[in-house]
Amino acid sequence: MYDENNIFAKILRKEIPCDKIYEDEFSLFFNDINPQAKVHVLGIPKFPCTTFSDFIKNTDNKIVSSFFKSVQLVINRLNIEKEGYRLITNSGINGGQEVPHFHIHILAGEKIGRLR
Ligand code: AMP
């Protein structure tokens, strides 16, 4: 069940600010408040979805497609494709998800270490 009081829902409702990188009809991208790399951007759909699986299963294909096209658009804007980047989405307890609104981490700007 979606928690309307999660921090990204508050950002989408403009109740708290974010350091915006890009926004369109379906998605919002902003800098992570606690960056784990020189570039650390978060991308979220503007719809109530808790995880990647929730987003894929319960959201219109047009919106899913638009969201991932926007991820690439932000990659272009950040100029990180040539040197590389890492996309991460954490899901649930085992995935270590802290904020229960589906989001993609875009990490770049330096070599990202192995998880273990
Ligand atoms: P996850 O563990 O995948 O749920 O990641 C949540 C991410 O949200 C973490 O990297 C946090 O640093 C980031 N975060 C939490 N609050 C904010 C905020 N107000 N603005 C930007 N990033 C945030």
Side-chain angles (χ1 to χ4, degrees):
M1 185 129 128
Y2 185 76
D3 171 12
E4 296 284 350
N5 286 319
N6 80 73
I7 198 119
F8 295 167
K10 289 181 181 173
I11 286 175
L12 286 173
R13 290 196 298 268
K14 298 189 171 25
E15 291 168 12
I16 62 167
C18 72
D19 184 10
K20 185 164 79 179
I21 297 277
Y22 172 77
E23 180 174 20
D24 62 26
E25 188 184 352
F26 299 128
S27 62
L28 174 67
F29 292 77
F30 50 94
N31 281 315
D32 196 292
I33 207 166
N34 182 23
Q36 302 299 307
K38 283 184 185 154
V39 173
H40 189 170
V41 171
L42 299 173
I44 62 176
K46 291 181 171 178
F47 300 92
C49 47
T50 56
T51 62
F52 171 78
S53 299
D54 183 20
F55 181 57
I56 297 296
K57 287 194 280 187
N58 299 316
T59 310
D60 192 86
N61 280 348
K62 188 176 110 189
I63 292 168
V64 171
S65 167
S66 169
F67 176 74
F68 285 103
K69 290 281 188 188
S70 299
V71 173
Q72 179 60 39
L73 192 149
V74 169
I75 287 167
N76 293 344
R77 285 196 174 190
L78 295 169
N79 197 23
I80 56 174
E81 185 170 338
K82 188 160 172 251
E83 296 203 328
Y85 55 84
R86 183 174 296 171
L87 300 181
I88 296 176
T89 183
N90 300 318
S91 178
I93 292 171
N94 283 358
Q97 183 177 9
E98 286 170 12
V99 179
H101 180 111
F102 164 59
H103 51 283
I104 290 266
H105 297 254
I106 305 172
L107 296 155
E110 61 187 299
K111 191 148 197 245
I112 311 298
R114 300 197 71 84
L115 287 181
R116 57 166 102 171

